Amino acid sequence: MVELLTSREMQELDRKTIEEIGIPGIVLMEHAGKSCASLIKTLFPTDKRILVICGKGNNGGDGFVVARWLNHWGYDVEVSLIGNPDSMKEDCKENFRIAKELLGDRLVVLPDLRKIEEQIKRSDIIVDAILGTGLIKKVEGFYREVIDLINRSKGKRTVISVDIPSGINADTGCVYGSATMADYTVTFGRLKRALFIYPARKYAGKIFLADIGIPKDLKTDSKVYLVEETDAMKLFPERDPMSHKGNYGHLMIITGSPGKTGAGIMAGNSAIKMGTGLVTLIVPESLNTIYESQTLEVMSEPVYDVDGFIGTKAVEKIMKLIERATALAIGPGLGQHEETLNVLRSILTNIDIPVVIDADGINLISRSLDILEKARCSIILTPHPGEFMRLTGESKERVLNERLEVATTWAQRLGVIMVLKGAGTVTATPDGRAYINPTGNPGMATGGSGDVLTGIIGALLAMNHDPVTSAYVGVFIHGLSGDLAMERVGTYGLTAGDMIEEIPYILSNWEKGVSVCRKTYETL
């Protein structure tokens, strides 16, 4: 697992390196710029024409180093400085001076928009060194016009961003007015949060992490992490040949209402494919025949219902059933009957096994948040943005654009593990930690996908993995199953059933120590 840093945390690492270790800032800048130039040299032949667009900050200083090395290696390089050199800090100013000495009139200071457009037309590769991680305000005026020019050239020219695409808030992943749409981003020292948080993630392209000499043992205060395949693989060693189904837990899933019987079946099937010893669906009595006819390895237990919805009189039987369980899942296809809400209240305030709650379970709890305050068990909530808005009252804009912040805030406020689903799913904990998931694709935006996730997380809970690990590893497996399914069927035809089919393939490879996941980023 790797830390994802804010701009402040990265600045503190830079400060410690410069002031406490004694490595000059201009040396770090040299390493940064040369590493980016080296990647370009590796990827592209010297007949490519390169335009480096620099701002006046340290990001621009990195850009001057990039230009100098590419010029040294024989590339046709032009540079545009779109900030005032008089306001540069010393390290940036020195690299500007050197680049100007070497490039002469190929380095243009304060060009107008027409001049930059001409330079872009002459180029094959654009290096974006305009705005770095310190951006705190909306990109407007000339800077925005330049970024928009770069983006309009997308597809005709390769765009490489230095450290982070210009126009992105390095902490939240928000786009400030306009942002560079990069094909590649070379980031320095440590990974930045925004590179893995949507909407910013889609601007970064392929990500490379360059070692610029910041000592690896320098500590940070980061509580945000990128989940990696190795974090998930270690939960699935070879099984003991003497083990039996009792060693792998019993997951019970409270599910079922008219027209939604498939949800619980998919959750149950995904849980059994995860290797859970036993899976039982607790279902409305009047619908039990459907479950019996559609399940083989997964069992069902009928309980009292009101018009197909689990009713209050079912509580006593459910509590007795739960005595045999090691974990509980609530919500897939459950419906939103008032009596079912009473059932949830009775259960959650009287059990101590871990619980994952999804879909209608979340919608029911949204009507009575005091249930969470009185609960005695560890709870994982897995809302999609709409469910999250109903649960918290947050605006659509915040939920979509400040995902990390709202998930972390509400995990702490409600005392739950919050899995805010969507691109780059965020798993947040009551103690302020957060885990960003890199797997998944748009094809997973299909009915039943969330039910599969519920089964996966429930299975991990049932097998006695701690709730936080179960949540972020479950999210990783869910996204990876979708990625592998997409390789077979594409995004349009991908179904929840396709994801379930991939689970055994993932786990069988991990059991043998074999990776099946594409790298999230490359190191230089």
Side-chain angles (χ1 to χ4, degrees):
M1 190 169 299
V2 63
E3 293 176 332
L4 299 177
L5 303 194
T6 63
S7 58
R8 183 192 62 80
E9 289 163 350
M10 193 65 229
Q11 288 164 7
E12 179 63 11
L13 276 186
D14 287 339
R15 186 198 65 77
K16 288 179 179 179
T17 302
I18 296 166
E19 297 179 8
E20 297 177 15
I21 306 300
I23 300 174
I26 199 164
V27 172
L28 298 179
M29 188 173 286
E30 181 71 15
H31 290 166
K34 187 177 181 182
S35 65
C36 185
S38 296
L39 175 65
I40 295 171
K41 183 183 178 185
T42 300
L43 295 177
F44 304 101
T46 55
D47 62 354
K48 296 296 183 182
R49 294 164 297 181
I50 298 173
L51 170 63
V52 184
I53 306 179
C54 298
K56 64 183 181 180
N58 284 342
N59 197 248
D62 298 334
F64 296 130
V65 178
V66 173
R68 171 161 48 83
W69 278 102
L70 291 175
N71 179 70
H72 176 69
W73 290 326
Y75 289 86
D76 181 357
V77 180
E78 289 188 88
V79 178
S80 270
L81 169 61
I82 62 173
N84 189 336
D86 294 337
S87 58
M88 289 178 177
K89 293 182 180 179
E90 287 306 312
D91 293 343
C92 181
K93 186 175 290 186
E94 180 62 11
N95 276 303
F96 164 68
R97 183 194 66 76
I98 297 169
K100 183 65 175 172
E101 184 70 26
L102 292 171
L103 295 172
D105 59 7
R106 287 184 290 148
L107 194 162
V108 181
V109 178
L110 296 173
D112 60 25
L113 203 61
R114 178 177 294 181
K115 177 66 175 177
I116 294 176
E117 188 170 15
E118 291 172 358
Q119 291 176 315
I120 287 175
K121 288 179 179 178
R122 290 196 296 267
S123 68
D124 301 302
I125 298 167
I126 302 170
V127 177
D128 158 36
I130 303 170
L131 301 167
T133 59
L135 181 67
I136 57 174
K137 62 181 181 180
K138 187 176 181 180
V139 179
E140 296 178 316
F142 186 67
Y143 279 81
R144 178 166 185 162
E145 290 177 320
V146 172
I147 290 171
D148 289 344
L149 270 181
I150 294 171
N151 288 343
R152 284 200 290 273
S153 74
K154 178 79 171 172
K156 299 175 184 177
R157 289 157 189 88
T158 301
V159 179
I160 300 170
S161 284
V162 174
D163 206 18
I164 194 168
S166 294
I168 285 173
N169 182 305
D171 299 346
T172 67
C174 291
V175 175
Y176 276 173
S178 185
T180 304
M181 186 70 74
D183 297 290
Y184 303 91
T185 296
V186 182
T187 197
F188 308 126
R190 304 286 173 87
L191 294 174
K192 316 305 184 297
R193 283 187 186 180
L195 297 177
F196 300 93
I197 300 173
Y198 285 84
R201 175 65 188 91
K202 66 182 181 180
Y203 289 80
K206 188 171 183 179
I207 298 167
F208 291 85
L209 174 63
D211 182 354
I212 61 171
I214 295 174
K216 297 188 186 309
D217 58 354
L218 285 183
K219 304 299 182 184
T220 76
D221 297 326
S222 178
K223 289 187 176 182
V224 178
Y225 307 90
L226 178 69
V227 183
E228 299 184 290
E229 187 178 19
T230 51
D231 301 317
M233 286 179 72
K234 63 186 178 184
L235 270 61
F236 299 94
E238 289 188 15
R239 285 189 164 182
D240 185 338
M242 294 289 288
S243 62
H244 55 82
K245 64 186 177 184
N247 295 123
Y248 301 110
H250 188 170
L251 176 65
M252 291 194 176
I253 304 174
I254 300 177
T255 180
S257 63
K260 297 181 179 179
T261 53
I265 292 169
M266 284 186 288
N269 286 341
S270 64
I272 208 75
K273 290 289 188 181
M274 282 288 296
T276 317
L278 293 168
V279 179
T280 299
L281 305 181
I282 297 174
V283 303
E285 188 173 36
S286 63
L287 303 176
N288 187 52
T289 302
I290 298 172
Y291 292 98
E292 292 281 5
S293 66
Q294 294 296 317
T295 56
L296 295 175
E297 297 92 345
V298 177
M299 300 175 288
S300 67
E301 283 281 359
V303 297
Y304 175 85
D305 71 86
V306 178
D307 299 325
F309 299 88
I310 293 177
T312 307
K313 292 181 182 178
V315 170
E316 184 177 354
K317 182 175 181 179
I318 291 173
M319 291 300 294
K320 287 181 180 178
L321 290 171
I322 291 174
E323 291 175 5
R324 309 200 308 259
T326 54
L328 183 65
I330 300 174
L334 188 61
Q336 298 183 53
H337 197 284
E338 187 65 29
E339 288 208 19
T340 310
L341 174 59
N342 294 332
V343 172
L344 263 60
R345 180 180 289 106
S346 297
I347 292 169
L348 293 175
T349 54
N350 287 287
I351 65 171
D352 56 10
I353 59 173
V355 182
V356 55
I357 304 176
D358 184 33
D360 283 334
I362 295 172
N363 291 328
L364 287 167
I365 286 174
S366 298
R367 288 151 48 182
S368 187
L369 288 179
D370 65 296
I371 294 175
L372 298 177
E373 296 176 9
K374 297 173 183 176
R376 296 172 48 204
C377 52
S378 295
I379 294 176
I380 301 171
L381 300 181
T382 63
H384 59 55
E387 292 161 349
F388 188 91
M389 286 185 281
R390 285 190 286 276
L391 182 72
T392 65
E394 291 280 6
S395 69
K396 182 178 181 180
E397 182 179 4
R398 283 208 74 204
V399 174
L400 294 181
N401 294 310
E402 299 177 38
R403 297 168 49 76
L404 178 59
E405 288 67 31
V406 296
T408 304
T409 296
W410 283 96
Q412 294 174 293
R413 190 173 296 177
L414 298 177
V416 300
I417 299 164
M418 185 70 74
V419 176
L420 178 53
K421 295 185 293 195
T425 292
V426 177
T427 299
T429 69
D431 64 2
R433 288 173 290 154
Y435 303 83
I436 309 299
N437 184 62
T439 60
N441 64 81
M444 297 171 68
T446 183
S449 180
D451 305 313
V452 174
L453 176 61
T454 300
I456 291 172
I457 294 176
L460 292 167
L461 291 173
M463 290 187 278
N464 290 317
H465 296 296
D466 75 83
V468 173
T469 304
S470 296
Y472 70 71
V473 169
V475 170
F476 187 94
I477 293 171
H478 179 246
L480 181 54
S481 72
D483 289 341
L484 295 174
M486 184 190 69
E487 291 178 5
R488 287 192 294 113
V489 302
T491 55
Y492 285 95
L494 198 156
T495 66
D498 294 325
M499 296 177 223
I500 295 172
E501 289 179 18
E502 298 296 342
I503 294 172
Y505 172 78
I506 295 168
L507 302 189
S508 66
N509 278 280
W510 285 356
E511 190 176 9
K512 294 177 284 191
V514 177
S515 169
V516 294
C517 185
R518 293 179 180 176
K519 289 184 178 180
T520 308
Y521 64 95
E522 301 277 355
T523 55
L524 296 176

